[in-house]
Amino acid sequence: GAVVSQHPSWVICKSGTSVKIECRSLDFQATTMFWYRQFPKQSLMLMATSNEGSKATYEQGVEKDKFLINHASLTLSTLTVTSAHPEDSSFYICSARDPRGRGNYGYTFGSGTRLTVV
Amino acid sequence: DAKTTQPPSMDCAEGRAANLPCNHSTISGNEYVYWYRQIHSQGPQYIIHGLKNNETNEMASLIITEDRKSSTLILPHATLRDTAVYYCIVRLSSSNTGKLIFGQGTTLQVKP
């Protein structure tokens, strides 16, 4: 079935540095990918919709200059957390939609990235 | 997309059926009901989805009321590995770029 690979699975970075998270669709092409953030004991919060070849669409309250999204190819979207601060520490999850519909109508999630900013 | 309401937590004995309810009273005629689950520190996993008719697959059954205002996910023989947060989501399946919006979900604890 559709597979989404997310890398790295965990990362620790110093405050003020930038971190890049990759999301790849391994066996399908994804024109649209989604980025979520999840704080402990909370639900997933949609941050942005990543569109191949165009600008990402950010949800209200999400700073586009802080969370840079690039979707340069049909199989790769990246999320860069710029000038990270401890409050950015969270679990980041990507999702890609297989346009072929598959049995689950396309929404496959990555395994997530645990970001800790120290 | 319509909003869903789920109980925050439920317990179930191992080997018994787990019945997870979801209310979606504002669902429209062309919106589907999706169920996902998230095991601790992993990405969500698709379980099942349906429009009007009851659905069954190798993981679970989905029972949708006739007025479509509520549904129940049934795990027929719960195991300890089914302990997870279960999310009920309503959205337009026909939307090519439609996003999944997660509510708070139900934390299911399967006990030995």
Side-chain angles (χ1 to χ4, degrees):
Chain A
V3 179
V4 171
S5 174
Q6 191 171 339
H7 179 81
S9 56
W10 61 271
V11 58
I12 300 173
C13 72
K14 290 185 177 180
S15 188
T17 62
S18 296
V19 174
K20 179 184 287 188
I21 302 170
E22 293 187 347
C23 180
R24 294 181 185 271
S25 55
L26 297 187
D27 56 350
F28 66 98
Q29 294 182 331
T31 56
T32 304
M33 291 185 176
F34 304 91
W35 287 96
Y36 293 83
R37 178 169 56 180
Q38 185 176 33
F39 293 108
K41 298 189 184 301
Q42 295 186 22
S43 184
L44 285 77
M45 184 191 78
L46 180 66
M47 299 175 67
T49 301
S50 171
N51 304 300
E52 186 270 335
S54 65
K55 292 182 178 180
T57 304
Y58 290 81
E59 295 297 306
Q60 190 174 7
V62 178
E63 300 176 58
K64 62 180 182 180
D65 294 330
K66 179 166 184 62
F67 299 100
L68 300 179
I69 292 172
N70 184 282
H71 194 155
S73 78
L74 286 172
T75 59
L76 173 65
S77 175
T78 60
L79 168 68
T80 301
V81 182
T82 63
S83 186
H85 291 284
E87 56 265 31
D88 298 323
S89 297
S90 187
F91 192 53
Y92 292 87
I93 308 168
C94 71
S95 172
R97 188 176 188 281
D98 184 346
R100 295 167 295 179
R102 305 279 185 148
N104 63 1
Y105 285 74
Y107 290 93
T108 302
F109 287 80
S111 55
T113 297
R114 176 75 57 193
L115 169 64
T116 302
V117 184
V118 298
Chain B
D1 294 332
K3 183 179 178 180
T4 62
T5 303
Q6 299 176 252
S9 65
M10 292 183 65
D11 289 343
C12 177
E14 188 179 18
R16 304 298 292 270
N19 298 286
L20 293 92
C22 179
N23 285 323
H24 30 80
S25 58
T26 60
I27 191 170
S28 62
N30 53 356
E31 287 183 311
Y32 285 68
V33 179
Y34 287 77
W35 283 84
Y36 281 77
R37 74 179 183 184
Q38 184 181 28
I39 296 171
H40 184 62
S41 293
Q42 296 183 25
Q45 175 192 22
Y46 167 83
I47 301 174
I48 200 168
H49 77 284
L51 180 63
K52 296 180 183 178
N53 300 321
N54 298 337
E55 302 288 344
T56 296
N57 62 21
E58 64 278 4
M59 289 184 67
S61 294
L62 175 60
I63 307 299
I64 302 174
T65 58
E66 192 171 343
D67 63 7
R68 303 212 317 125
K69 293 185 176 181
S70 65
S71 61
T72 301
L73 177 74
I74 301 173
L75 308 178
H77 305 286
T79 70
L80 297 179
R81 288 181 294 182
D82 291 322
T83 292
V85 180
Y86 287 76
Y87 296 99
C88 168
I89 302 169
V90 170
R91 69 167 297 275
L92 290 170
S93 179
S94 60
S95 173
N96 204 30
T97 57
K99 46 196 178 185
L100 286 180
I101 303 299
F102 287 78
Q104 295 306 306
T106 296
T107 299
L108 175 67
Q109 181 72 47
V110 181
K111 298 185 175 181

